Amino acid sequence: AQSVTQPDIHITVSEGASLELRCNYSYGATPYLFWYVQSPGQGLQLLLKYFSGDTLVQGIKGFEAEFKRSQSSFNLRKPSVHWSDAAEYFCAVGAKAGGTSYGKLTFGQGTILTVHP
Amino acid sequence: DADVTQTPRNRITKTGKRIMLECSQTKGHDRMYWYRQDPGLGLQLIYYSFDVKDINKGEISDGYSVSRQAQAKFSLSLESAIPNQTALYFCATSGAGGPSDTQYFGPGTRLTVL
């Protein structure tokens, strides 16, 4: 069964600083990887996803993530954080369930990002 | 208008009461999901549905039931609510493209069981 670990429960950065949120996954085959963001009082919004091709993936809001198979990681990065990026971030891995093509999503525990002015 | 809507947005109920959470979508997707979110645990899948006639249990289905009334509507019921079902509940939808398909989430329902 697949699993996802986000080692950092809470990260605080200053506005304008760079950001890296860590995500490690466990899955026996090529994973389908996602980063979602949840702003306060909102549902989850997709930032980016990886399922094949270039291992550096660009997403919305200036975010990018790099898939590293050797490290089983899919870390999220942003070069300069804005105050509006304060939110909770979830990494997820999708995999086929049984004989179907359904993508069962397994989520990490989430990382809360606080941005100081 | 939002593509995925959930009603109610907030609900306080008492132990033993029956409660229904509703989800509607205008994305035309066949697949719909119910998750619950607890602090520090991420999201856990309760039930999912491939189409109106295909409903499947997720990781934590005990104490919950669902109904897929139409392609666009998927309801979650707690037959007899208990305090440890206090959580944030999300509905999501996706197309039928497979594991790489994006899931689109509603705004959530915050349920408190006293």
Side-chain angles (χ1 to χ4, degrees), chain B residues 11 13-21 46-47 61-67 75-83 85 89 111 113:
Chain B
R11 181 71 182 268
T13 192
K14 294 182 178 180
T15 297
K17 294 291 188 180
R18 182 179 188 274
I19 185 168
M20 178 181 287
L21 309 183
I46 306 172
Y47 271 94
S61 59
D62 287 348
Y64 301 95
S65 63
V66 291
S67 173
S75 300
L76 175 72
S77 293
L78 287 68
E79 297 300 326
S80 180
I82 57 176
Q85 291 178 312
Y89 290 84
L111 176 65
V113 183

Side-chain angles (χ1 to χ4, degrees), chain A residues 76-95:
Chain A
L76 182 71
R77 301 194 294 247
K78 186 170 185 178
S80 178
V81 170
H82 188 262
W83 64 266
S84 61
D85 293 323
E88 189 163 14
Y89 292 80
F90 292 94
C91 181
V93 60

